């Protein structure tokens, strides 16, 4: 039944469903949505304001392996066998140009399949696109949370398993996708690499508009340290919510300036006047899933700390014993 869905433009975040399966699923909401969004019919009829209603219209959105999730750092299980991630072909400083698109749900950059994850998974995963999730100045808009705290924004670099022909083929396969996620916070300095994307925002403020930007080293959009990450089995964070994503969320974070974050929050539009922001889904239940960590806590573990504390009275004792000896 879900296979009847005709996948057209296949972005992880804006899947175009055929109007026939759409009518079956959402029925009466058709006319309503068309009024608000004249282009709605071609875009799958979903929005972030009505995310509680996704499960009713999209079967998989009520599954038990949904994304995003909250990452409880204390509950994450250290797994020393998690292979580290090796990237290849991420440097696109070769005169290529990339399409940057405002698709009405996110800001998305198309990526060539020469860019890939060579190791870290059971197969090579090829890049397809990257995109962002963000909020407003009042509402931080990362999708994943860390100990229930949202970051201001989040980047997702979407890769598909090289055993499939393309993203559309891979998107509904259990081992289809690997997404690398990074938290974006605010720092003191302008981020020159993010600026290569953000400086083009004013050219694509209108929904469905796109522009070309020169390629650069995409590695620099991710955090410096890729060795520390969380891993779990999850889903697309937008309808149709296929549970086909092997998620990697880095522990190290990225920073952009306050002004750069404001550009992301305030420039893009949906429809005629509405701002494109708060494009994040709420954290979903784990339903017993485990979150693995590739690292152990770098700070002194509690056990070690109590050992240090216990040693202090011993030292005092030792000194006082020596003194006793001397004074005797
Ligand atoms: C995700 O990748 C890991 C290897 O890092 C692998 O062990 C695991 O089975 C993968 N999960 C899925 C659902 O393919
Ligand atoms: C993806 O690959 C399949 C199978 O080769 C092909 O039929 C389809 O047209 C391709 N889709 C896109 C968007 O390239
Ligand atoms: C993810 O799913 C795969 C395949 O079912 C399984 O082997 C793996 O252990 C799961 N990973 C986690 C972190 O639960
Ligand atoms: C990174 O890991 C440390 C140690 O567990 C944790 O305290 C911190 O909240 C984590 N930060 C992120 C962004 O995952
Ligand atoms: Zn995303």
């Amino acid at each position: 039944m879900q296979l009847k869905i005709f996948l057209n433009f296949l972005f992880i975040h804006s899947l175009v469903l055929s109007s026939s399966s759409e009518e079956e699923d959402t029925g009466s909401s058709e006319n309503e949505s068309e009024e608000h969004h004249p282009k709605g019919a071609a875009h799958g009829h979903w929005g972030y304001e009505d995310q509680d209603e996704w499960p009713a219209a999209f079967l998989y959105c009520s599954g038990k392996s949904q994304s995003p999730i909250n990452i409880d750092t204390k509950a994450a299980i250290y797994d020393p066998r998690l292979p580290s991630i090796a990237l290849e072909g991420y440097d696109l400083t070769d005169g290529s140009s990339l399409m940057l698109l405002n698709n009405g749900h996110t800001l998305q950059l198309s990526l060539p399949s020469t860019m890939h994850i060579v190791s870290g998974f059971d197969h090579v995963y090829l890049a397809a696109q990257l995109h962002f999730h963000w909020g407003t100045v009042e509402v931080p808009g990362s999708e994943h949370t860390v100990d229930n705290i949202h970051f201001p924004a989040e980047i997702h670099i979407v890769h598909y398993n090289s055993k499939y022909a393309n993203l559309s083929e891979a998107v509904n396969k259990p081992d289809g996708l690997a997404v690398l996620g990074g938290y974006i916070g605010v720092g003191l300095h302008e981020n020159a690499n993010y600026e290569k994307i953000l400086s083009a925002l004013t050219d694509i403020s209108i929904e469905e508009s796109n522009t070309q930007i020169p390629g650069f080293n995409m590695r620099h959009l991710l955090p410096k340290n890729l060795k520390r990450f969380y891993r779990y089995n999850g889903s697309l964070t937008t309808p149709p919510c296929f549970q086909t994503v092997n998620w990697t969320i880095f522990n190290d974070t990225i920073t952009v300036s306050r002004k750069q974050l404001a550009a992301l929050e305030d420039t893009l539009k949906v429809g005629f006047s509405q701002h494109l922001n708060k494009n994040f889904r709420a954290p979903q239940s784990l339903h017993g899933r485990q979150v693995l960590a590739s690292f152990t806590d770098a700070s002194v573990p509690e056990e070690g700390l109590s050992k240090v504390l216990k040693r202090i009275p011993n030292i005092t004792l030792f000194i006082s014993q020596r003194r006793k000896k001397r004074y005797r």
Side-chain angles (χ1 to χ4, degrees), residues 7-10 164-170:
L7 299 166
N8 192 346
F9 274 91
L10 219 20
Y164 302 113
N166 50 44
L167 181 62
S168 333
E169 287 280 302

Side-chain angles (χ1 to χ4, degrees), residues 35-76:
E35 273 167 37
H36 297 308
H37 285 283
K39 292 181 186 167
H43 290 268
H45 294 290
W46 60 269
Y48 285 96
E49 304 77 18
D50 64 2
Q51 54 182 280
D52 292 345
E53 288 152 37
W54 294 356
F58 303 93
L59 181 67
Y60 296 107
C61 299
S62 55
K64 294 207 153 101
S65 295
Q66 289 290 292
S67 293
I69 57 164
N70 171 54
I71 294 170
D72 179 343
T73 60
K74 294 279 183 294

Side-chain angles (χ1 to χ4, degrees), residues 196-214:
K196 289 169 185 167
I197 293 175
L198 298 175
S199 62
L201 285 187
T202 49
D203 299 339
I204 54 166
S205 64
I206 297 167
E207 183 178 356
E208 288 303 329
S209 59
N210 67 72
T211 186
Q212 296 287 128
I213 64 166

Side-chain angles (χ1 to χ4, degrees), residues 73-74 146-147 151 183 228 230 250-253 295 297-298:
T73 60
K74 294 279 183 294
V146 184
D147 296 331
F151 272 75
Y183 295 112
R228 296 166 61 91
Y230 298 101
F250 295 109
N251 178 246
D252 193 11
T253 62
F295 61 99
D297 218 323

Side-chain angles (χ1 to χ4, degrees), residues 27-304:
S28 61
S29 68
E30 183 90 24
N31 295 330
E32 234 174 64
S33 301
E34 292 231 325
E35 273 167 37
H36 297 308
H37 285 283
K39 292 181 186 167
H43 290 268
H45 294 290
W46 60 269
Y48 285 96
E49 304 77 18
D50 64 2
Q51 54 182 280
D52 292 345
E53 288 152 37
W54 294 356
F58 303 93
L59 181 67
Y60 296 107
C61 299
S62 55
K64 294 207 153 101
S65 295
Q66 289 290 292
S67 293
I69 57 164
N70 171 54
I71 294 170
D72 179 343
T73 60
K74 294 279 183 294
I77 299 160
Y78 171 52
D79 184 352
R81 291 163 310 168
L82 270 179
S84 54
I85 288 168
L87 305 175
E88 227 175 62
Y90 260 52
D91 190 353
L92 303 176
T93 327
D94 56 1
S96 61
S97 79
L98 307 172
M99 189 192 63
L100 185 68
L101 168 73
N102 166 359
N103 69 14
H105 296 301
T106 190
L107 166 66
Q108 181 169 291
L109 188 64
S110 299
L111 300 170
S113 58
T114 48
M115 184 176 148
H116 45 257
I117 309 174
V118 278
S119 61
F121 296 96
D122 301 341
H123 292 89
V124 169
Y125 281 77
L126 312 178
Q129 48 100 336
L130 64 80
H131 63 264
F132 303 91
H133 300 271
W134 62 90
T136 63
V137 70
E138 291 91 16
V139 182
S142 70
E143 294 212 293
H144 289 87
T145 54
V146 184
D147 296 331
N148 297 308
I149 306 293
H150 282 271
F151 272 75
E154 188 170 329
I155 181 174
H156 288 159
I157 308 190
V158 180
H159 301 75
Y160 63 94
N161 195 326
S162 57
K163 77 189 215 195
Y164 302 113
N166 50 44
L167 181 62
S168 333
E169 287 280 302
V171 73
N172 58 355
K173 307 298 188 300
D175 58 355
L177 306 179
V179 180
L180 304 181
Y183 295 112
I184 302 173
V186 172
L188 292 176
H189 306 290
E190 181 178 286
N191 184 319
N193 294 294
Y194 273 75
E195 194 58 23
K196 289 169 185 167
I197 293 175
L198 298 175
S199 62
L201 285 187
T202 49
D203 299 339
I204 54 166
S205 64
I206 297 167
E207 183 178 356
E208 288 303 329
S209 59
N210 67 72
T211 186
Q212 296 287 128
I213 64 166
F216 58 99
N217 193 342
M218 299 297 137
R219 169 66 184 83
H220 297 146
L221 295 175
L222 286 173
K224 284 205 178 69
N225 186 345
L226 302 185
K227 293 212 159 68
R228 296 166 61 91
F229 60 83
Y230 298 101
R231 169 66 51 75
Y232 79 98
N233 291 334
S235 74
L236 307 187
T237 65
T238 60
C241 308
F242 294 138
Q243 300 188 147
T244 56
V245 181
N246 206 330
W247 277 98
T248 302
I249 303 290
F250 295 109
N251 178 246
D252 193 11
T253 62
I254 303 138
T255 60
V256 299
S257 68
R258 194 165 286 286
K259 198 176 154 199
Q260 287 182 303
L261 183 64
L264 183 61
E265 290 167 348
D266 299 337
T267 314
L268 303 184
K269 303 240 161 39
V270 193
F272 293 108
S273 56
Q274 207 191 332
H275 279 291
L276 170 50
N277 56 29
K278 292 197 264 190
N279 57 349
F280 59 95
R281 188 187 194 190
Q284 304 293 300
S285 302
L286 276 179
H287 291 294
R289 277 176 292 171
Q290 290 186 335
V291 177
L292 305 179
S294 68
F295 61 99
T296 42
D297 218 323
S299 61
V300 184
E302 255 171 71
E303 207 187 326

